[in-house]
Amino acid sequence: MGAYGIITNTIVPLRPEPRDEAEITTQLLFGETFEILDKRNQWRFIKNDFDGYEGWIDEKVFEKISASTRKKIALEIPVYVLDTIAPIDFPDGSRQVLVKGCRLPFYDADNKTFLVGDKKFRIEAQVITGRHDLFKVLEIAWSYRNAPYLWGGMTDFGMDCSGLTQMSYKLAGYYNLNRNARDQVLQGELVDFDDRQPGDLAFFANSKGKVTHVGMVWFEGKILHAHGQVRVDELHRDGIFNPERNKLTHHLVAIKRYRPSN
């Protein structure tokens, strides 16, 4: 019998090793569910349900859930916070702040409440649910503009390149992208440079040919990507041209298109 959990802190670092000094490989947000695969002292090695990403989290940032609860959450249409910040009210009257991308399990739209275990929370926030078109993907991606770059980041307060693309597709319910650029490039359909369209993803490699960066093809020959911050630069056939630095900063290797499955 497996053990499962749900994230109850707003933003949780996922680490490759069970220690606070280890790097942050990604972040998990409130409401995400996972399977517990191993434990070491206060640390738990988990596998995220959304994208299968694995790593270590502290036991204090989640609550255990049953297999049946995990299944119910998996079967419901996800509801995500769309506001940059959104306060929630605890049953005891205290408050916590959620951020864009946090999931609200068992959401009641009429009463603006959701459930985590036996606790009912109230939230006044703009939310998004269901499958939307590619224009919504672009709208969400644009909403992260100017977010500072953070390795492993997944929010307006710190975002990396593949976090930007994954979250934009995820919140729109359009396509389940993998977490890292090197894995996202293995998904989708290859597109010629001249046939690119806004919403396609462009991938870039280092001198060894390893994919290390991804951005979203934008309008008028531009690309939206996280580099220093979420910003718009020029997309050339050879790569990304940064006009402020007057140089190519990334070498283009592929453009992929993603279509929602039926």
Side-chain angles (χ1 to χ4, degrees):
M1 188 73 176
Y4 310 101
I6 184 168
I7 297 295
T8 52
N9 277 20
T10 302
I11 306 170
V12 171
L14 188 72
R15 305 181 190 274
E17 300 173 12
R19 55 190 183 90
D20 288 318
E21 299 80 8
E23 71 171 340
I24 299 173
T25 53
T26 190
Q27 293 173 329
L28 303 181
L29 304 184
F30 184 101
E32 293 197 70
T33 60
F34 54 87
E35 181 179 7
I36 301 171
L37 303 177
D38 197 4
K39 65 179 181 178
R40 191 177 303 174
N41 298 322
Q42 82 272 24
W43 294 91
R44 299 295 182 270
F45 187 73
I46 64 101
K47 182 177 183 179
N48 186 28
D49 284 335
F50 178 77
D51 56 16
Y53 211 83
E54 297 180 356
W56 294 90
I57 62 174
D58 192 286
E59 66 179 355
K60 298 185 289 295
V61 302
F62 71 90
E63 292 184 6
K64 288 185 177 180
I65 57 174
S66 66
S68 61
T69 297
R70 179 192 183 218
K71 184 176 181 180
K72 289 178 182 177
I73 293 174
L75 291 175
E76 70 173 4
I77 299 174
V79 177
Y80 297 107
V81 173
L82 202 55
D83 290 342
T84 300
I85 56 172
I88 61 173
D89 295 321
F90 281 75
D92 64 3
S94 60
R95 304 196 100 186
Q96 179 178 343
V97 173
L98 301 187
V99 299
K100 187 191 304 175
C102 289
R103 182 170 177 176
L104 308 178
F106 308 115
Y107 181 70
D108 182 339
D110 293 332
N111 296 308
K112 297 183 178 180
T113 60
F114 63 96
L115 295 173
V116 176
D118 59 355
K119 297 177 183 177
K120 179 180 288 189
F121 300 87
R122 179 172 175 79
I123 184 169
E124 291 282 350
Q126 182 182 6
V127 300
I128 187 168
T129 187
R131 176 177 291 174
H132 299 262
D133 59 22
L134 192 58
F135 291 104
K136 180 59 72 172
V137 175
L138 294 165
E139 180 182 308
I140 293 170
W142 187 250
S143 74
Y144 286 108
R145 188 169 55 100
N146 296 323
Y149 182 86
L150 176 67
W151 178 270
M154 299 290 285
T155 76
D156 287 288
F157 303 99
M159 180 70 76
D160 69 14
C161 64
S162 55
L164 171 66
T165 52
Q166 187 191 57
M167 290 300 291
S168 300
Y169 276 89
K170 176 183 180 180
L171 299 190
Y174 191 81
Y175 191 94
N176 289 358
L177 279 174
N178 293 324
R179 175 59 180 92
N180 292 329
R182 65 176 180 270
D183 298 317
Q184 292 178 4
V185 74
L186 302 177
Q187 301 174 274
E189 307 168 5
L190 194 63
V191 175
D192 290 335
F193 182 84
D194 291 335
D195 295 328
R196 70 193 186 283
Q197 298 175 2
D200 293 342
L201 299 188
F203 294 89
F204 307 85
N206 60 18
S207 60
K208 297 180 180 179
K210 179 181 178 181
V211 171
T212 58
H213 190 67
V214 60
M216 186 172 293
V217 175
W218 209 247
F219 301 90
E220 299 178 344
K222 307 291 187 179
I223 184 168
L224 182 74
H225 67 133
H227 183 59
Q229 66 188 66
V230 178
R231 55 178 290 139
V232 175
D233 285 312
E234 298 176 13
L235 179 61
H236 294 186
R237 189 177 295 271
D238 293 333
I240 297 176
F241 181 78
N242 184 317
E244 296 170 2
R245 300 170 62 187
N246 194 33
K247 62 181 290 188
L248 283 174
T249 58
H250 300 81
H251 175 65
L252 180 66
V253 292
I255 296 177
K256 305 295 289 282
R257 182 167 299 159
Y258 305 85
R259 305 180 190 277
S261 57
N262 294 326

